[in-house]
Amino acid sequence: MTLNERINSLRERVEQMQAQNKDELERLRLTYLSKKGEITELFNEFRTVPKEQKAQLGQALNQLRQAAEQKMDSLREQVAQVAHQAEVRADLTRTPDPISLGTRHPLSLVREEIINIFSRIGFTVAEGPEVEDDKHVFGLLNFAPEHPARDMQDTFFIEKEEGVQKPEDILLRTHTSSVQTRVMTAAAERFKTDKNASIRVLCPGRVYRNEAISARAHCFFHQVEGLYVARNVSFADLRQALLYFAQEMFGEGTRIRLRPSYFPFTEPSAEMDISCHICGGKGCAFCKNTGWVEILGCGMVDPNVLDACGIDSKQFSGYAFGMGVERIANLKYRVKDLRLFSENDIRFLGQFQSC
Ligand code: PHE
């Protein structure tokens, strides 16, 4: 093929060039116009043609290159326009695809609900350390030195004096009553000078007990405890606050029952049951046909505890209660296996209402 013929054939191909997108444009540029492109190659060959043909062939070559460049420009414009139209076709007012936000942990939901209910009758939240000393967990709470709860079997000790417990022994708190002793000792001065001083706190938090892990027990769980100290606080006040809580948490028709019990730090002490919210008190498998389910421990703060914390028990009295968040969550959501709460399986966690 002569150079002239090759120019003419290339010209035809250039006229037929098509491109749908930027990649195809680039491929055309490489084929024809780049340093190794076919048109550039013809220019290289042009150097070797006899002088008398140069004028005609040179002109034809220049026209070919020009035509190729013009065609590329118009194709580039076409591609840009198609891309722009695709963008305009997208509906920019459309609401975006929903992003999955995850859900709140059932224990967080229940803890928040407990706090919300009590905050409506004046309780505020107090928090304290999980790593505590013997004094705040047991000593100030009227536990005798040989009380079994202090035993290695129940309590995780971090440092322990061999054989005896000392106030400086360090341990993981077994209940959030330790926060109550901190709040009371911190308020002691106020109670000495102000006859109308009062404490009304909720103590939510994680607690630890040395138990074998099973469907019904774990080595850690969560509590919300409450404490009210003021002048003339009575057992009737306690009962009323707990009735209010039970009905807010489990429904208006819920009844409560207080059974005598024992805690070192309260006197008298009681265990509270609510009427079974599943059978309404008639008796079912859930309440083992008794019509009642146990939900918390409570009582009047033992005068020894008030005095140990620096609050005069002759002038002030108080009530306290404590409940397991897992227990309340079990009743509310009927979770059979406690371990589910700490396994982080999103198939379980995703079933609870999101925030
Ligand atoms: N501290 C008790 C527990 O952990 C609960 C409780 C708190 C009982 C306050 C009575 C009064 O089991």
Side-chain angles (χ1 to χ4, degrees):
M1 233 197 272
T2 65
L3 193 54
N4 202 21
E5 283 165 345
R6 287 169 67 192
I7 293 172
N8 286 338
S9 109
L10 258 179
R11 224 198 161 97
E12 266 169 44
R13 282 165 59 201
V14 162
E15 271 162 26
Q16 280 158 22
M17 285 196 308
Q18 290 298 339
Q20 305 295 330
N21 53 44
K22 283 189 175 166
D23 286 347
E24 290 180 15
L25 270 176
E26 178 61 6
R27 220 169 300 135
L28 290 176
R29 190 188 68 79
L30 288 172
T31 314
Y32 297 108
L33 291 164
S34 68
K35 267 191 192 155
K36 287 187 181 151
E38 290 183 41
I39 295 176
T40 321
E41 244 164 54
L42 290 190
F43 271 95
N44 292 339
E45 271 175 48
F46 172 74
R47 284 194 221 119
T48 61
V49 302
K51 249 190 192 157
E52 59 278 11
Q53 293 179 19
K54 279 215 162 162
Q56 187 259 324
L57 282 175
Q59 199 183 16
L61 258 180
N62 276 329
Q63 279 170 357
L64 170 65
R65 184 162 63 185
Q66 238 173 26
E69 277 167 356
Q70 271 168 14
K71 180 81 189 189
M72 283 297 283
D73 283 346
S74 81
L75 285 178
R76 213 169 275 133
E77 213 163 288
Q78 251 178 42
V79 167
Q81 219 161 38
V82 170
H84 177 67
Q85 268 166 7
E87 230 169 76
V88 170
R89 236 180 283 129
D91 177 1
L92 299 179
T93 63
R94 206 184 118 225
T95 42
D97 289 338
I99 300 166
S100 168
L101 282 180
T103 52
R104 297 196 60 200
H105 195 284
L107 294 181
S108 300
L109 291 171
V110 171
R111 184 195 53 211
E112 290 308 301
E113 198 172 343
I114 297 168
I115 291 172
N116 281 341
I117 291 170
F118 280 105
S119 72
R120 294 202 284 275
I121 54 170
F123 282 82
T124 56
V125 169
E127 285 180 304
E130 293 180 15
V131 179
E132 261 291 8
D133 52 23
D134 178 277
K135 181 176 133 189
H136 288 95
V137 178
F138 299 124
L140 293 173
L141 285 164
N142 205 33
F143 280 81
E146 68 284 0
H147 192 283
R150 296 174 121 161
D151 203 283
M152 274 293 203
Q153 263 103 58
D154 283 306
T155 306
F156 288 112
F157 283 91
I158 289 171
E159 283 168 33
K160 188 185 177 196
E161 188 88 352
E162 265 311 302
V164 273
Q165 285 78 49
K166 296 207 163 166
E168 51 291 4
D169 281 344
I170 304 299
L171 44 88
L172 297 181
R173 67 181 180 196
T174 56
H175 53 184
T176 59
S177 304
S178 55
V179 184
Q180 305 186 353
T181 52
R182 283 189 176 274
V183 170
M184 283 190 281
T185 42
E189 279 312 307
R190 197 154 44 82
F191 276 85
K192 286 196 179 81
T193 53
D194 181 359
K195 282 189 174 163
N196 295 314
S198 68
I199 291 172
R200 211 191 302 242
V201 289
L202 286 176
C203 311
R206 183 174 289 177
V207 300
Y208 302 83
R209 290 183 197 178
N210 193 357
E211 298 206 28
I213 296 169
S214 70
R216 318 194 80 231
H218 212 297
C219 58
F220 67 82
F221 62 97
H222 301 79
Q223 285 189 323
V224 177
E225 294 209 355
L227 171 72
Y228 177 41
V229 182
R231 275 177 183 274
N232 302 320
V233 178
S234 71
F235 200 90
D237 296 330
L238 169 62
R239 190 185 181 285
Q240 202 54 34
L242 293 178
L243 175 65
Y244 156 78
F245 164 72
Q247 294 187 336
E248 289 290 301
M249 192 79 193
F250 295 102
E252 253 178 67
T254 308
R255 284 165 292 129
I256 64 167
R257 172 172 91 167
L258 291 160
R259 280 179 292 107
S261 184
Y262 173 78
F263 299 103
F265 37 88
T266 45
E267 182 60 37
S269 305
E271 213 90 53
M272 184 173 104
D273 300 337
I274 57 166
S275 51
C276 178
H277 61 301
I278 291 163
C279 62
K282 287 191 202 77
C284 65
F286 188 79
C287 59
K288 300 196 186 79
N289 279 320
T290 62
W292 298 96
V293 285
E294 185 189 319
I295 67 161
L296 55 80
C298 60
M300 301 306 291
V301 182
D302 193 302
N304 287 344
V305 173
L306 290 174
D307 290 329
C309 292
I311 296 173
D312 183 1
S313 64
K314 290 193 185 65
Q315 293 185 58
F316 298 95
S317 54
Y319 66 66
F321 56 86
M323 65 189 97
V325 180
E326 280 82 349
R327 172 95 188 124
I328 308 286
N330 280 347
L331 294 181
K332 244 187 126 66
Y333 300 123
R334 283 189 249 174
V335 179
K336 292 232 171 69
D337 191 330
L338 207 61
R339 289 170 291 197
L340 287 166
F341 288 123
S342 49
E343 276 169 358
N344 284 340
D345 184 337
I346 52 170
R347 289 169 304 178
F348 169 72
L349 297 176
Q351 297 175 75
F352 304 92
Q353 129 219 8
S354 60
C355 58

